[in-house]
Amino acid sequence: MHLHKYEKIWLAFGIGSLILFLVIVGINAFVTGHQPPSSDKTVDPQVVGEIAPFNKPGLKKIGKNEYQLVVLTSAFSFDVGTQDKVVEIPKGAKVHIIATTKDVVHGFEIAGTNANMMLEPGHISETTQTFREEGEFTLLCNEYCGSGHHLMHAKIKVVDQS
Amino acid sequence: MEKDKEKTYKKDSLKGTLFSVLAVGGFILLSWFTVWSLFLSRI
């Protein structure tokens, strides 16, 4: 088979790029432990509000500068354990986020961070986020969930406590 | 007959194609690394 010199160049370029991307994704997955946020854990969405930890949503300290944030969503709100839907997190804290939904599919995105996952009824989604920068971050639903979708949001306030 | 075919084949210039393919490839690489660096900066 005859291949033009230029064809060899772009074939090598394409195959090389593919290998490079896969190696980087592989290193991210196996060395730095970056995984999809949906864990294998399941829960009955009908009674999830009575089951721990979702019976008490909110922020809980679990270690030195380490927290657990439990969020239970339903159309059209994020239950983050506070009336005003604001969660205060100390600057630099590592937060393990555990979330699920009572009804339909919702999105969970903390704008400006890597925390972004889909919440499916019956499944528990988990991700870990370290909040290094002070400021206010919007927690929003990025999966269309119904007529009140655009009203579905909460706030993460990262405060310097030192 | 075969020789004629080969001649025309050799005359074909693929410079434009090479440039277009590398331009698209370059754009894909650049956007991929931009998004990846954004992800890394937010870890």
Side-chain angles (χ1 to χ4, degrees), chain A residues 85-97:
Chain A
K85 299 205 183 302
V86 178
V87 185
E88 276 200 19
I89 294 172
K91 188 181 165 186
K94 191 175 186 181
V95 182
H96 302 279
I97 301 163

Side-chain angles (χ1 to χ4, degrees), chain A residues 2 4 6-7 9-10 13 17 20-21 24-25 28 34 112-114 129 132, chain B residues 9 12 14-15 17-18 21-22 25-26 28-29 32-33 36 38-39 42-43:
Chain A
H2 174 78
H4 192 281
Y6 290 167
E7 280 182 303
I9 294 176
W10 67 64
F13 183 78
S17 311
L20 181 71
F21 290 162
I24 292 174
V25 170
N28 260 340
H34 180 233
T113 71
N114 283 339
Q129 180 68 40
R132 291 197 172 85
Chain B
Y9 184 78
D12 283 342
L14 292 181
K15 251 188 193 161
T17 321
L18 177 72
V21 169
L22 291 186
I28 293 174
L29 276 181
W32 199 93
F33 278 99
W36 188 51
L38 186 67
F39 169 77
R42 288 173 170 183
I43 278 181

Side-chain angles (χ1 to χ4, degrees), chain A residues 1-129:
Chain A
M1 190 177 69
H2 174 78
L3 275 180
H4 192 281
K5 191 176 85 191
Y6 290 167
E7 280 182 303
K8 284 182 190 162
I9 294 176
W10 67 64
L11 277 173
F13 183 78
I15 295 168
S17 311
L18 186 64
I19 292 171
L20 181 71
F21 290 162
L22 287 175
V23 166
I24 292 174
V25 170
I27 291 172
N28 260 340
F30 295 105
V31 181
T32 61
H34 180 233
Q35 288 175 357
S38 48
S39 61
D40 288 336
K41 292 176 201 159
T42 54
V43 66
D44 182 355
Q46 304 268 316
V47 291
V48 65
E50 295 149 34
I51 300 169
F54 297 103
N55 55 352
K56 271 190 189 163
L59 195 70
K60 202 172 87 186
K61 192 166 184 165
I62 54 168
K64 196 184 172 231
N65 223 6
E66 207 167 339
Y67 293 81
Q68 182 189 56
L69 177 63
V70 178
V71 180
L72 184 59
T73 62
S74 55
F76 304 98
S77 85
F78 285 100
D79 189 349
V80 289
T82 54
Q83 277 291 315
D84 56 358
K85 299 205 183 302
V86 178
V87 185
E88 276 200 19
I89 294 172
K91 188 181 165 186
K94 191 175 186 181
V95 182
H96 302 279
I97 301 163
I98 303 173
T100 191
T101 164
K102 269 189 198 171
D103 39 44
V104 295
V105 169
H106 292 291
F108 183 107
E109 180 184 356
I110 304 174
T113 71
N114 283 339
N116 187 356
M117 52 191 178
M118 191 193 261
L119 310 179
E120 295 154 281
H123 292 265
I124 297 171
S125 297
E126 295 179 341
T127 189
T128 301
Q129 180 68 40

